[in-house]
């Protein structure tokens, strides 16, 4: 059932700087949630630290504002505990690709059904504009005393190489286009990344609204034959190579749209369900953890096993034989 985007807003005061691209992302995400009719009680929004980290406070759904770089591990635990939930991660380029880079890669390798929305403004906005992992080499933004001396990391290329099965790039001020990408990413069963180019009006005076107005172009408009979908497993290597080549295009012309979409690869939950029959029906979040009286469910059986092992270890240590006492 479609809802109104306002139903997904908490009403809390939004304290991003006036003109920040994050407003566009918030609008696009709530629009997508409304059009998908997501149930707030079955949706979880997880964030780390940074300006983007405030997002769960503003979205009416379950929310976790967690540690720096750890949004993906939290989201992984939530999704595995209850695979019925829709889980959306919001993180900045510093949070997800600096301290959180290992988790970012691991999510792709697992292909867990989580949507990652990367607020990519090329700076650490919350701590006053230091260079983030996505700022290109040689670029000097106004908070930097000298041009950046590190190479940039390309989130789209990293996601494709890591195994994400839906990879797109959007623009924060293109609310309708971004909402469309968010809807597709949430509907996709597997790890999804949307790299959202988000102007930081306070600290980034290079990648500005004016810059993006000139530089951005849509993949499918520039090339009507552009097809990011992997139609059969045999096509995967060629489609991955095509996405990587396009992802590396960066400079005065920057493509937005869907780079890669593989609907065939099994999600991590599907792989677990193959190993553990009954996982889908009774995942950890649905298992009984206490007896009616409040004692831990199955606790007595576990204690018996534990006691038995203790006795054996103790006895072996003394005489090399198991002699319960
Ligand atoms: Fe937005 Fe930049 Fe302000 Fe953070 S510092 S709220 S990213 S404009």
């Amino acid at each position: 059932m479609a809802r109104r985007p306002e139903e997904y807003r908490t009403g809390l005061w939004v304290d991003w700087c006036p003109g920040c691209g994050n407003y566009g992302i918030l609008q696009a995400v709530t629009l997508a949630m409304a059009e998908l009719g997501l149930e707030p009680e079955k949706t979880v929004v997880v964030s780390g630290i940074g300006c983007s980290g405030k997002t769960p406070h503003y979205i009416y759904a379950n929310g976790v504002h967690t540690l720096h770089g750890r949004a993906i591990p939290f989201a992984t635990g939530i999704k595995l505990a209850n695979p019925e939930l829709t889980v959306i991660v919001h993180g900045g380029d510093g949070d997800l690709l600096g301290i959180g880079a290992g988790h970012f890669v691991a999510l792709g390798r697992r292909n867990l059904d989580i949507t990652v929305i990367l607020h990519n403004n090329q700076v650490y906005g919350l701590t006053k504009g230091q260079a983030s992992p996505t700022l290109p080499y040689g670029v000097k933004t106004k908070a930097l005393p000298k041009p950046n001396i590190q190479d940039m990391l390309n989130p789209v290329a990293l996601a494709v190489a890591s195994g994400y099965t839906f990879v797109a790039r959007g623009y924060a001020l293109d609310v309708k286009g971004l909402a469309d990408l968010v809807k597709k990413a949430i509907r996709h069963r597997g790890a999804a990344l949307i790299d959202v180019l988000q102007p930081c009006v306070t600290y980034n005076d290079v990648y500005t609204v004016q810059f993006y107005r000139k530089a951005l172009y849509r993949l499918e408009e520039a090339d009507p034959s552009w097809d990011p979908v992997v139609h059969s497993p045999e096509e995967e290597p060629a489609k991955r190579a095509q996405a990587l080549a396009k992802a590396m295009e960066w400079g005065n012309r920057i493509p937005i749209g869907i780079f890669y979409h593989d609907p065939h690869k099994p999600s991590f939950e599907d792989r677990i369900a193959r190993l553990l029959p009954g996982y889908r029906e009774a995942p950890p979040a649905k298992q009984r953890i206490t007896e009616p009286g409040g004692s831990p469910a199955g606790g007595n059986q576990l204690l018996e096993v534990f006691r038995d092992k203790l006795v054996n270890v103790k006895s072996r240590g003394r005489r090399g034989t198991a002699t319960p006492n």
Side-chain angles (χ1 to χ4, degrees), residues 15-23 50-52 54 121 123-126 128 198-204:
D15 67 354
W16 289 318
C17 306
C20 174
N22 282 332
Y23 288 96
C51 296
S52 63
K54 299 173 183 176
N121 57 21
V123 294
Y124 286 85
L126 195 70
K128 310 239 181 289
Q198 174 241 318
C200 169
V201 293
T202 303
Y203 293 112
N204 193 336

Side-chain angles (χ1 to χ4, degrees), residues 24 148 158 200 233:
N148 184 24
L158 183 63
C200 169

